[in-house]
Amino acid sequence: MYREIKVKEIKQFKKASAVVAKLENTGWIRSVKVKRQYPGRWWLFFTVRKPIMQVVDAQLMLDEDGSLMRVKPEKRHASLPKVYVPDEQLKQVYMFWKSISSYHHAWLQRLRVVRYHQHSGWELEFNGNIKLKLGFVPKLTIEDAVR
C-alpha cells in the first residue's frame, strides 16, 4: 500500500535524523532507515503502519500491533470497525481483534462496532445489525467469550 508523504525539498535536510523525524511524525510510519548517497541522493526504507480499527472518541486509529496511530481516520477508513471504549480498554480490544483474526477471519470482516458500556459491559455489532452482548468479561479474556 502506498501512502504519499510530503517532505518539503529534501535538499533542506542535512542529516538523516531530520528525515527520520519528519517521516515518523506523520503517524503513518512505524520505522524508517535513511541512507545518504552522494551527491544529493537519499535512500529511504520504511515500514507503513496498517490501521485495523477506528477509535471514535479520540479520533485516532489502532494499528495491527495494537498501538494508537496519531492520525485521524479518513474517508477510505470508513469500513474499519469503530471502537467506543475507554482508553484503558484498548489493549483488551486489540487482544480480542488479534484472537478473532486468527480463528474467525470471516467474523472479523463483518465486525463493525466494539463498545464497552460502564453498566452493561462489552457489546459487538456485526453487519446485518447483529449485536452480541458479552457483558462483563474478565480482563484479557474477551477473545475467549466468542470462541
Side-chain angles (χ1 to χ4, degrees), residues 18-93:
V19 176
V20 169
K22 182 71 173 177
L23 289 172
E24 286 178 342
N25 284 335
T26 66
W28 285 98
I29 304 299
R30 175 166 318 288
S31 64
V32 62
K33 290 182 184 180
V34 179
K35 292 185 180 183
R36 191 172 182 178
Q37 182 182 14
Y38 295 98
R41 179 178 265 177
W42 296 78
W43 290 92
L44 303 174
F45 303 91
F46 56 90
T47 306
V48 178
R49 298 169 71 185
K50 180 183 175 194
I52 58 166
M53 293 183 174
Q54 296 181 49
V55 181
V56 177
D57 294 339
Q59 284 294 300
L60 301 173
M61 291 189 285
L62 197 64
D63 74 6
E64 74 276 18
D65 288 333
S67 300
L68 273 178
M69 295 176 66
R70 303 281 174 205
V71 294
K72 289 188 175 188
E74 300 169 359
K75 287 181 182 178
R76 64 190 174 108
H77 300 115
S79 64
L80 290 176
K82 292 165 184 58
V83 179
Y84 298 90
V85 301
D87 290 347
E88 62 271 9
Q89 300 286 356
L90 282 174
K91 196 52 131 179
Q92 211 169 348
V93 169

Side-chain angles (χ1 to χ4, degrees), residues 96-107:
F96 162 73
W97 176 86
K98 191 173 177 182
S99 175
I100 201 170
S101 67
S102 60
Y103 295 106
H104 304 287
H105 191 68
W107 280 27

Side-chain angles (χ1 to χ4, degrees), residues 53-54 81-85 93 96 111-116 122-125 142:
M53 293 183 174
Q54 296 181 49
K82 292 165 184 58
V83 179
Y84 298 90
V85 301
V93 169
F96 162 73
L111 182 63
R112 289 292 139 236
V113 176
V114 177
R115 282 192 181 85
Y116 182 81
W122 290 95
E123 177 182 295
L124 307 177
E125 188 176 316
I142 189 170

